Each structure stands twice: as C-alpha cells, then as structure tokens.
C-alpha cells in the first residue's frame, strides 16, 4: 500500500468514526490520534478522541477498514454519563436483524 492509499484509508476511517458518533449518540467528536495496525495483525485503524469542546468526554475506537465497521469502543465515565443522559444505554446490544 502506498502513502496516498494509506492516507485515504486513514481519512475514511476517521470519517466513519465521526459519523458513528453522530448517528448513534448525536455527538460531534474530534479525532486526536490515529494508528493503523500492521495488516498482518488486523485490518484496523485505532483512534482516540473526545466530544467537541469537552476533552474530559474521551474515547478510543477502532475502524475495520475492510468491512467499514466500528469496533472496540471504550469511553471515559464522563462520556458514558453524557450518552446515558440522552436516554441511550451505550452497552446495550444492538439488534442487527440477523
């Protein structure tokens, strides 16, 4: 994979993570750090970030760039409180209809 392809993958993963927070929790977030795992380990890009203007509401999340899905979402207690205040259980299993 060349540098341009790698940069495109990183941007696409960032956009997917940002959209995930908008769609699932109605939150605008900033991604502050990204790291692509070695391809032989896992097709994932790990990210760190926080809710805009609220750095204490931080999170880590991964995006699988092959199937375009978010995984491994971990949040600070402050972010969990914010999500729960919206009436959402961040740990509830989603019904995928399968």
């Amino acid at each position: 994979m060349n540098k341009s392809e790698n940069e495109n993958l990183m941007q696409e993963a960032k956009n997917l993570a940002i959209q995930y927070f908008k769609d699932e929790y109605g939150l605008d977030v900033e991604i502050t750090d990204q790291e692509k795992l070695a391809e032989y380990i896992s097709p994932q890009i790990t990210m760190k970030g926080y809710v805009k203007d609220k750095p204490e509401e931080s999170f880590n999340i991964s995006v699988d760039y092959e199937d375009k899905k978010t995984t491994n979402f971990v949040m600070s207690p402050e972010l969990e409180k914010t999500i729960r205040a919206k009436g959402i259980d961040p740990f509830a299993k989603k019904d995928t209809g399968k």
Side-chain angles (χ1 to χ4, degrees):
M1 182 173 296
N2 68 36
K3 187 177 178 185
S4 177
E5 290 172 328
N6 200 43
E7 287 172 0
N8 288 343
L9 259 175
M10 297 291 268
Q11 186 60 50
E12 183 179 16
K14 184 178 184 176
N15 292 343
L16 283 167
I18 290 169
Q19 194 61 48
Y20 169 80
F21 283 98
K22 278 187 202 279
D23 293 347
E24 294 293 319
Y25 308 113
L27 297 171
D28 288 321
V29 299
E30 292 186 31
I31 303 299
T32 57
D33 189 36
Q34 286 182 280
E35 181 180 346
K36 183 172 174 266
L37 299 179
E39 289 178 50
Y40 67 88
I41 295 174
S42 179
Q44 291 191 1
I45 296 172
T46 60
M47 289 170 259
K48 294 179 184 176
Y50 59 87
V51 175
K52 283 188 179 176
D53 301 321
K54 297 180 181 176
E56 69 282 0
E57 294 181 12
S58 61
F59 61 86
N60 292 353
I61 195 165
S62 297
V63 171
D64 182 314
Y65 53 80
E66 286 182 352
D67 70 9
K68 311 289 188 235
K69 293 188 179 169
T70 57
T71 61
N72 305 322
F73 174 36
V74 180
M75 70 195 96
S76 68
E78 293 83 3
L79 179 52
E80 180 184 351
K81 250 187 249 181
T82 295
I83 292 171
R84 287 186 183 280
K86 291 175 171 273
I88 302 168
D89 178 355
F91 302 110
K93 295 283 183 215
K94 301 261 188 286
D95 181 12
T96 59
K98 292 182 181 177

